[in-house]
Amino acid sequence: MKKCAFCTRPANSREHIFSDWMLRMLPSKERYILRERIPATGELLKYPTKKIKVVAKVVCERCNNTWMSRLEDEHLKPAIENLLFSENRTTLTAKEIVAISAFAFKTLILANHKDLTSAPFFPRVQRFRFRRELRIPDGVQIWMASRKALAGKYYGFWRSAGGGVNEKSPYSFRLYSCTWNFQNIVLQALGTKWDNSTQRKNEPPSLSPSSEWERAAVLIWPPRGNLIFWPPPFYLGDNTIEAFTDRWNEFRITIRAV
């Protein structure tokens, strides 16, 4: 059996990607269309359902029922619940930004471990420290965007991807991203790390997306110490959500001098 993504215990528990308290906000008698891609074959399944259950069996019962439960109920829910079905203008506080960012990073790790075939992207020391302190490691950037609400439509989306710089050099690196969407809220977490082990004593590279996304997605992590006005000027729609997910096919890189 796989080990828990956050400790040494067996991964014997299923973590919900869309929390039960989120799903209870949806109409109880609605029928939904789920699309699921099978990693081994790449086949895309599409089927109707009355009950949404998207899980990742990559954590242990103890982690799931203790600190992960507190992260959802005590931190994330108060920060994001009123945003999921509302387009009203509001301000996100520093405390709310930290809670949302911690949830996004947790989801990034779940995605990486769900279909793991090689070493995890984030080393053990970083994952275990996150369990203890909710500390997000260097090299992680998180954006928050708003999906355009349409009456009578309900959305859930979870997709991850990995990659790297094709040309090997002392500055080549790898990246891993996960985009999560439930109703109006879209979160995108991105991690980077150097290929060259001698470079890993330095801060990982920060990536800058194409400028066309700057008014649709707000960088919430690393924090800048200021309030965030929500929602951003532009919304993501059905015709842009996939392009937003794939936007790291091209990027600008910032390397700080040491």
Side-chain angles (χ1 to χ4, degrees):
M1 178 178 289
K2 289 181 179 180
K3 295 292 186 181
C4 175
F6 300 101
C7 72
T8 59
R9 297 181 183 87
N12 58 0
S13 184
R14 292 175 170 85
E15 169 68 349
H16 290 77
I17 304 307
F18 307 112
S19 310
D20 286 341
W21 63 265
M22 297 179 187
L23 298 177
R24 286 195 292 269
M25 300 174 74
L26 299 174
S28 59
K29 296 183 179 180
E30 189 75 23
R31 289 183 66 86
Y32 305 97
I33 301 297
L34 290 188
R35 297 176 177 85
E36 180 180 3
R37 189 171 299 279
I38 306 301
T41 63
E43 180 184 5
L44 182 64
L45 302 180
K46 179 179 177 181
Y47 52 92
T49 183
K50 289 185 178 180
K51 186 175 181 180
I52 300 173
K53 188 175 182 180
V54 183
V55 298
K57 191 178 180 182
V58 297
V59 298
C60 68
E61 290 183 358
R62 181 169 179 178
C63 283
N64 202 353
N65 296 327
T66 55
W67 68 270
M68 293 175 71
S69 179
R70 291 193 298 271
L71 172 59
E72 289 262 351
D73 296 337
E74 299 176 15
H75 301 283
L76 178 71
K77 187 177 180 181
I80 208 173
E81 183 177 21
N82 292 334
L83 307 180
L84 293 173
F85 286 84
S86 172
E87 296 180 359
N88 294 335
R89 305 293 298 179
T90 189
T91 302
L92 298 178
T93 65
K95 183 178 179 181
E96 290 169 333
I97 292 167
V98 169
I100 295 168
S101 299
F103 172 79
F105 179 66
K106 182 205 74 170
T107 305
L108 179 65
I109 290 188
L110 295 180
N112 182 229
H113 283 252
K114 185 175 185 295
D115 300 303
L116 200 62
T117 58
S118 59
F121 187 87
F122 295 96
R124 172 174 167 167
V125 64
Q126 293 180 344
R127 292 180 280 117
F128 286 21
R129 185 184 296 134
F130 180 73
R131 179 195 75 225
R132 297 191 304 268
E133 307 171 14
L134 294 184
R135 179 176 170 182
I136 299 174
D138 293 340
V140 173
Q141 297 169 268
I142 299 170
W143 288 263
M144 187 171 173
S146 184
R147 185 165 187 165
K148 183 64 177 176
L150 297 175
K153 284 198 172 186
Y154 306 97
Y155 302 100
F157 183 88
W158 184 48
R159 182 175 168 185
S160 59
V165 177
N166 292 331
E167 184 177 346
K168 296 299 181 182
S169 75
Y171 297 102
S172 64
F173 62 92
R174 286 178 284 163
L175 59 86
Y176 192 85
S177 69
C178 178
T179 305
W180 177 96
N181 163 230
F182 185 80
Q183 287 308 115
N184 292 14
I185 299 300
V186 181
L187 299 173
Q188 186 175 76
L190 171 74
T192 61
K193 63 180 180 181
W194 299 111
D195 281 330
N196 191 324
S197 59
T198 61
Q199 281 281 15
R200 291 178 187 168
K201 64 180 183 296
N202 300 321
E203 184 175 334
S206 296
L207 305 189
S208 300
S210 171
S211 59
E212 66 187 41
W213 300 111
E214 289 181 355
R215 301 192 70 193
V218 180
L219 182 68
I220 63 172
W221 194 270
R224 299 177 176 177
N226 57 316
L227 300 177
I228 290 179
F229 300 101
W230 190 259
F234 293 161
Y235 294 88
L236 299 178
D238 289 349
N239 59 336
T240 55
I241 186 72
E242 188 166 345
F244 178 74
T245 303
D246 293 336
R247 65 183 181 150
W248 299 110
N249 291 337
E250 296 182 6
F251 51 81
R252 300 189 305 274
I253 178 173
T254 301
I255 300 175
R256 292 181 174 85
V258 294

